[in-house]
């Protein structure tokens, strides 16, 4: 005789009927939002230029190749300025990010009610504004040049470094801290011998990682007058010197690849 399906033998389903309905409703809402956003973008887009883009790109490529190799002699100092902007900006940011991170971490802040919110505000405010915007503001204040680029990179990097560092501080092994505290050590001794040794690998990794990012960001600061190789890129674009532009882009690519290789080697040695 055939076996009848009882309640205990019901076919397994991933979702209940209500959950399936909610799932498809979310997809429908997502598609509606996408359609609305696409409509707004389409209305603000000149589609003639979009369809003509392949021809324009091919024309620029033809003009930009081959690169103007003899122009490379004029890029030595700008690329050196770019490296200095990234390096000095990273160093300044690390010096400022360390105290901010200790103030922001729950287990090291002097006051969770007053000091920690201020530290978190510094982290959020410096991370939320792009380095190009910082550079524009600083150029208006202190004038164009490499110094404005260094400060822009430093301010932008404070929040990034402080956020990762204060998270590392909050994740330390509290047993080591308690052991040092039990010996009668002062607050500074506990920090020096119980906390700092635990976060040094994370600090080194953050420093190298941020320096690698800053190499990329500093290459474009010259577009707004903050020094570096971006200044030559902006000047070449303004006069439509495409062979020079292609050479500058190749130099930037080489600098980024080398910085990526260096940072990977250093992080590998640290880890």
């Amino acid at each position: 005789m055939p076996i009848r399906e009882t309640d205990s033998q019901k076919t397994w389903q991933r979702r209940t009927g209500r959950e399936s309905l909610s799932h498809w409703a979310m997809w429908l809402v997502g598609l509606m939002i996408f359609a609305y956003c696409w409509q707004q973008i389409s209305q603000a887009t000149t589609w003639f230029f979009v369809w003509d883009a392949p021809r324009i790109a091919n024309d620029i490529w033809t003009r930009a190749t081959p690169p103007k190799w003899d122009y490379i002699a004029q890029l030595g100092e700008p690329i050196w300025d770019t490296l200095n902007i990234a390096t000095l900006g990273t160093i300044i940011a690390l010096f400022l990010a360390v105290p901010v991170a200790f103030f922001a971490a729950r287990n090291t802040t002097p006051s969770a009610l007053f000091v920690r919110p201020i530290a978190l505000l510094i982290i959020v405010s410096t991370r939320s504004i792009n380095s190009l915007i910082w550079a524009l503001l600083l150029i208006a204040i202190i004038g164009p040049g490499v110094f404005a680029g260094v400060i822009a990179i430093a301010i932008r990097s404070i929040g990034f470094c402080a956020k990762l560092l204060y998270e590392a501080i909050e994740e330390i092994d509290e047993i080591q801290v308690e052991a040092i505290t039990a010996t009668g050590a002062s607050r500074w001794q506990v920090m020096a011998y119980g906390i700092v040794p635990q976060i040094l690998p994370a600090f080194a990794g953050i420093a190298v990682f941020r320096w690698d990012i800053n190499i990329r960001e500093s290459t474009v600061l010259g577009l707004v007058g903050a020094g570096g190789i971006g200044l030559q890129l902006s000047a070449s674009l303004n006069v439509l010197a495409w062979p020079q532009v292609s050479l500058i882009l190749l130099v930037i690519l080489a600098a980024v690849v080398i910085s990526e290789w260096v940072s990977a080697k250093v992080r590998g040695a640290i880890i």
Side-chain angles (χ1 to χ4, degrees), residues 22 49 73 100 130 139 185 203 218:
S22 300
F49 294 107
V100 173
N130 191 273
I139 287 171
F203 176 79
S218 60

Side-chain angles (χ1 to χ4, degrees), residues 82 86-87 90 130-131 153 156-157 160-161 164 205-221 256 259-260 263 267:
T82 297
T87 304
T90 304
N130 191 273
S131 56
I153 288 293
R156 168 69 170 169
S157 302
F160 179 92
C161 297
L164 295 180
I206 293 167
V208 175
F209 185 47
R210 187 63 213 185
W211 175 78
D212 183 27
I213 295 174
N214 286 341
I215 292 291
R216 293 170 171 81
E217 294 197 356
S218 60
T219 57
V220 297
L221 291 183
V256 170
S259 68
E260 177 70 24
S263 64
R267 287 200 301 270

